[in-house]
């Protein structure tokens, strides 16, 4: 029988939240609480103070917003705001405010973001009408207090979100002044990505016996982490769908799973990928077991190449042929990342784990690196020019394979009849154009702008903290790409190539890099020093009963 996680004890219902909030979460497509939510919500609902070490991307906003909303709904409405959330930036004020609004929709909660740079008049009107939750930057909140347009004497909960960042931005005194305006018996919650002594000192002075929560501290045993190629792209939110499509175009996975956070996102991403010509299928916890089995059957049978899934839906799923795990977002906890990437690269199979991270989520990547002791390489998104070049390269390689292996005599009549009128070179160019177009043609995409650079504090220290560099995968400079004249039409799968290369040449399976399989040929990355040895070994052996051409891929640049 199918267990709906939302109804199980492990779901949000087990955290003691009201029906209106559970309904809002279901509507948003949240399938289960993130680890920080699991740990923080019960003590916060019980009224405790709390210090949480958690970065953006862990689900920390809902971890404090849901208990705040719960308490608003159960307490009596006061004159002034009952909750105050302090955040470092305007962007975050808007984001948190939208989140509170979405979660509290069925409770009729009034929330107002206040930040510098926005006309104060509009904020004044809203404050006069009455609000329940104020989400603001310290400077503007203090401004309102001084103008006596914001009265904090009814505040029951204060949240300091991204406290380390607020201190770095010089808001320490403002925060002290604001806290002094709130009742001493309030509940105080502090979230911070890092816990320097200054944060600890604020917690000691302003919080009462707080519950402490730290995420992602447990290191993972090296053996638990599969040795797959791990990379990440930093992409601003509006460009994520386009970036995903482009990465898939370049990676050309034969079977991949794309992880999303919510059901809504699963549906959007699936639709987008299908629009781009991929055969993608959604898999989420809202589907019956029967529906899920059918989707899995289509993946195994090869009529689907991409699964788009939530963590809940993908749990326990074992697909032999997966070559890529793609995280559409940074997973909510480093442990979830390890779990996800464990789906590829099993038993020495070739695999890639690719993560799309928003600029603010880079911290999470660092936390994952610390947990795994492995490096996640930051890659630059392929540009339109890169994509075009890559497609031309594939067209060229396909032509070369045909020239080397196909019997072309049958087409001579066409060539002869054309060369009466046209130059041979032009005939060849037209044929190449037609082949290129038949294989998908040129890219019509717009350029994706690079995200704004954001100075990352402590980056140097974090780098020093990092464990051993990832083993197994050679850096790009030391990689040779080999051409194998056998492809999908011969029923070739990545594991056939890995098995044959490892078995025949003695190369360690984990040293085999990216594999790209097209209809008629395949490209395999191996460490440069081993290239000749692999070619020699493969020329003596068979793959799926054939003895394909094996050589270095030739580049024309
Ligand atoms: P935050 O760390 O609060 O910035 O949240 C990161 C993202 O995760 C936001 O886009 C949230 O909407 C989303 N999110 C938060 N909690 C959950 C959950 N339990 N399931 C799915 N998505 C979530």
């Amino acid at each position: 029988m199918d267990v709906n996680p939302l109804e199980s004890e492990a779901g949000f219902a087990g955290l003691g939240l009201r029906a209106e909030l559970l309904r809002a979460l279901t509507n948003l497509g949240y399938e289960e609480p993130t680890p920080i939510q699991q740990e923080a919500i019960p003590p916060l609902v019980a009224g405790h103070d709390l210090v949480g070490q958690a970065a953006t991307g862990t689900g920390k906003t809902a971890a404090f917003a849901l208990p705040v909303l719960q308490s608003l709904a159960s307490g009596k409405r006061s004159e002034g705001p009952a909750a105050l959330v302090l955040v470092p930036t305007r962007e975050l004020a808007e984001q948190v405010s939208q989140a509170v609004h979405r979660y509290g929709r069925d409770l009729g909660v009034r929330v107002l973001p206040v930040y510098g740079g926005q006309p104060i008049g509009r904020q004044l009107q809203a404050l006069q009408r009455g609000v329940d939750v104020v989400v603001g930057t310290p400077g503007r909140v203090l401004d309102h207090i001084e103008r006596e347009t914001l009265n904090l004497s009814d505040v029951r909960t204060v949240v300091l979100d991204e406290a380390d960042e607020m201190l770095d931005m010089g808001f320490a005194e403002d925060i002290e002044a604001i806290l002094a305006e709130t009742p001493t018996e309030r509940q105080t919650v502090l979230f911070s990505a890092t816990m320097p002594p200054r944060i600890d000192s604020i917690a000691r002075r302003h919080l009462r016996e707080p519950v402490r929560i730290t995420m992602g501290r447990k290191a993972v045993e090296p053996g638990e982490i599969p040795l797959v190629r791990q990379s990440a792209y930093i992409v601003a939110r509006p460009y994520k769908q386009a970036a995903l499509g482009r990465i898939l175009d370049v990676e050309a996975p034969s079977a991949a799973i794309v992880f999303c956070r919510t059901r809504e996102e699963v549906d959007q991403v699936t639709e987008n990928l299908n629009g781009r010509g991929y055969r993608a299928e959604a898999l989420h916890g809202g589907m019956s077991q029967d529906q899920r089995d059918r989707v899995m059957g289509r993946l195994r049978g090869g009529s689907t190449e991409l699964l788009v899934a939530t963590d809940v839906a993908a749990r326990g799923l074992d697909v032999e042929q997966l070559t890529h795990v793609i995280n559409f977002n940074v997973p909510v906890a480093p442990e979830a990342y390890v779990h996800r990437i464990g789906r590829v690269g099993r038993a020495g199979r070739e695999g890639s784990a690719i993560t799309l991270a928003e600029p603010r989520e880079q911290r999470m990547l660092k936390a994952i690196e610390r947990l795994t002791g492995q490096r996640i390489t930051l890659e630059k998104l392929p540009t339109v020019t890169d994509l075009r070049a890559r497609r031309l390269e594939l067209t060229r390689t396909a032509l070369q394979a045909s020239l080397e292996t196909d019997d072309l005599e049958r087409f001579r009549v066409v060539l002869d009849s054309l060369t009466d009128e046209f130059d041979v070179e032009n005939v060849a160019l037209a044929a190449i154009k037609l082949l290129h177009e038949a294989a998908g043609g040129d890219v019509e995409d717009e350029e994706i702008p690079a995200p704004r650079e954001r100075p990352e504090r402590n980056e140097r220290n974090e780098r020093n903290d990092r464990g051993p560099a990832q083993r197994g995968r050679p850096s790009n400079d030391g990689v040779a790409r080999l051409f194998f004249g056998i492809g999908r039409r011969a029923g070739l799968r990545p594991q056939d190539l890995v098995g044959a290369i490892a078995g025949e040449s003695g190369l360690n399976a984990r040293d085999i890099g990216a594999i790209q399989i097209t209809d008629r040929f395949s490209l395999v990355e191996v460490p440069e020093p081993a290239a000749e040895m692999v070619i020699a070994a493969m020329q003596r052996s068979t793959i799926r009963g054939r003895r394909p051409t094996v050589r270095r891929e030739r580049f024309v640049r």
Side-chain angles (χ1 to χ4, degrees):
M1 213 198 70
D2 220 11
V3 180
N4 181 343
L6 298 180
E7 285 161 10
S8 72
E9 278 305 295
F12 281 104
L15 302 180
L17 293 170
R18 299 170 66 94
E20 295 93 331
L21 295 172
L22 295 180
R23 208 162 44 230
L25 296 172
T26 308
N27 289 339
L28 287 169
Y30 288 15
E31 297 196 326
E32 62 175 356
T34 68
I36 189 95
Q37 291 161 2
Q38 191 87 43
E39 289 199 42
I41 291 175
L44 287 177
V45 167
H48 292 287
D49 283 5
L50 183 137
V51 176
Q53 181 165 5
T56 297
T58 52
K60 68 181 165 61
T61 312
F64 66 72
L66 293 169
V68 159
L69 289 163
Q70 173 102 352
S71 137
L72 276 174
S74 357
K76 63 176 190 345
R77 280 256 156 109
S78 47
E79 275 280 300
L84 171 70
V85 183
L86 293 177
V87 295
T89 63
R90 162 200 183 133
E91 182 196 9
L92 203 60
E94 283 177 340
Q95 261 178 40
V96 170
S97 169
Q98 279 163 14
V100 171
H101 176 72
R102 283 201 308 264
Y103 304 143
R105 191 165 281 161
D106 287 356
L107 295 170
V109 166
R110 299 160 304 171
V111 51
L112 179 71
V114 302
Y115 45 79
Q118 194 195 35
I120 205 156
R122 204 153 7 124
Q123 294 173 3
L124 289 177
Q125 283 168 15
L127 286 169
Q128 269 161 10
R129 281 198 302 270
V131 294
D132 304 304
V133 183
V134 168
V135 184
T137 50
R140 185 52 74 96
V141 168
L142 200 59
D143 208 8
H144 278 293
I145 293 173
E146 282 160 4
R147 288 166 182 249
E148 297 187 355
T149 47
L150 178 61
N151 180 348
L152 297 181
S153 56
D154 291 327
V155 163
R156 298 201 293 270
T157 305
V158 174
V159 180
L160 306 176
D161 190 18
E162 308 218 341
D164 52 354
E165 203 143 323
M166 288 201 282
L167 292 195
D168 280 359
M169 293 174 75
F171 285 135
E173 281 177 23
D174 290 3
I175 292 172
E176 299 278 342
I178 294 166
L179 286 175
E181 295 293 317
T182 62
T184 45
E185 65 278 11
R186 64 171 193 261
Q187 178 186 39
T188 315
V189 185
L190 182 153
F191 276 103
S192 188
T194 57
M195 285 291 160
R198 285 194 307 160
I199 297 284
D200 220 39
S201 136
I202 291 194
R204 258 184 283 111
R205 276 178 296 124
H206 295 291
L207 276 67
R208 277 170 305 168
E209 298 170 28
V211 173
R212 289 179 184 270
I213 297 176
T214 305
M215 287 286 125
R217 264 299 169 81
K218 191 169 61 77
V220 178
E221 292 298 316
E224 289 176 44
I225 304 160
L227 289 155
V228 300
R229 174 167 61 113
Q230 296 177 55
S231 50
Y233 295 87
I234 309 299
V235 191
R237 194 176 300 184
Y239 299 102
K240 286 178 86 169
Q241 295 267 17
L244 174 66
R246 193 165 295 187
I247 292 165
L248 287 170
D249 285 352
V250 169
E251 292 279 333
S254 37
I257 184 161
V258 180
F259 278 103
C260 294
R261 279 188 182 135
T262 65
R263 286 177 198 180
E264 237 182 354
E265 207 170 69
V266 164
D267 288 337
Q268 286 162 2
V269 169
T270 310
E271 205 179 302
N272 191 280
L273 290 176
N274 282 316
R276 232 186 138 87
Y278 286 99
R279 292 167 301 168
E281 294 248 21
L283 196 70
H284 57 60
M287 295 162 65
S288 70
Q289 189 59 45
D290 223 35
Q291 287 171 312
R292 287 197 247 173
D293 289 345
R294 275 203 294 273
V295 171
M296 291 309 301
R298 285 196 286 272
L299 184 78
R300 292 202 179 95
S303 62
T304 291
E305 53 198 351
L306 290 172
L307 271 191
V308 186
T310 55
D311 281 304
V312 170
R315 210 155 281 162
L317 188 141
D318 190 14
V319 198
E320 264 293 308
Q321 59 268 62
L322 280 187
T323 56
H324 288 65
V325 162
I326 299 174
N327 298 310
F328 189 63
N329 315 93
V330 180
V332 290
E335 291 79 4
Y337 177 88
V338 174
H339 204 221
R340 285 182 185 180
I341 71 170
R343 296 177 183 288
V344 285
R346 285 195 199 151
R349 260 186 282 144
E350 166 262 351
S352 290
I354 298 171
T355 304
L356 270 65
E358 290 174 36
R360 292 191 68 86
E361 293 172 341
Q362 284 190 55
R363 274 248 172 78
M364 285 290 284
L365 292 178
K366 296 268 156 52
I368 293 169
E369 285 186 330
R370 272 200 300 273
L371 180 82
T372 60
Q374 293 186 355
R375 182 83 188 270
I376 301 176
T377 317
L378 284 190
E379 308 265 11
K380 283 217 158 41
L381 271 183
T383 60
V384 171
T385 318
D386 292 340
L387 276 189
R388 290 199 175 136
R390 181 80 195 119
R391 291 202 177 158
L392 282 176
E393 204 179 300
L394 288 176
T395 297
R396 196 194 64 81
T397 311
L399 277 169
Q400 191 172 351
S402 173
L403 284 164
E404 284 171 357
T405 55
D406 286 347
D407 175 11
L408 303 171
E409 270 315 304
R410 191 155 78 80
F411 303 99
R412 187 166 293 282
V413 286
V414 181
L415 181 70
D416 287 347
S417 69
L418 286 168
T419 44
D420 290 345
E421 200 179 336
F422 303 98
D423 183 49
V424 169
E425 200 172 292
N426 284 338
V427 174
L429 288 173
I432 295 169
K433 172 176 176 280
L434 289 178
L435 171 68
H436 190 67
E437 284 172 358
D442 264 336
V443 191
E444 302 300 334
D445 288 9
E446 285 172 28
E447 286 295 358
I448 298 176
R452 271 179 296 139
E453 291 290 329
R454 220 167 145 265
E456 277 282 330
R457 279 163 300 119
N458 295 335
E459 196 163 46
R460 191 173 310 142
N461 293 343
E462 286 179 1
R463 196 164 289 150
N464 289 342
D465 284 351
R466 191 183 290 149
Q470 184 189 351
R471 284 186 301 141
R473 191 150 200 290
S475 75
N476 255 347
D477 324 333
V479 168
R481 196 142 47 162
L482 304 186
F483 170 95
F484 285 69
I486 178 169
R488 210 174 281 136
R489 282 202 194 154
L492 186 77
R493 300 160 309 162
Q495 56 266 44
D496 298 325
L497 286 167
V498 174
I501 297 171
E504 299 297 331
S505 73
L507 187 71
N508 199 324
R510 76 168 75 111
D511 286 335
I512 300 172
I515 293 182
Q516 190 165 6
I517 298 182
T518 73
D519 276 353
R520 301 167 47 128
F521 65 90
S522 311
L523 300 170
V524 181
E525 287 180 4
V526 297
E528 175 59 49
E532 292 306 325
M533 181 267 288
V534 172
I535 292 171
M538 297 317 295
Q539 280 167 347
R540 289 192 302 272
S541 51
T542 55
I543 304 179
R544 290 192 77 84
R546 298 174 187 220
R547 198 181 289 269
T549 311
V550 183
R551 56 165 166 73
R552 283 174 187 272
E553 188 193 16
R554 296 185 199 131
F555 288 97
V556 179
R557 294 225 185 259

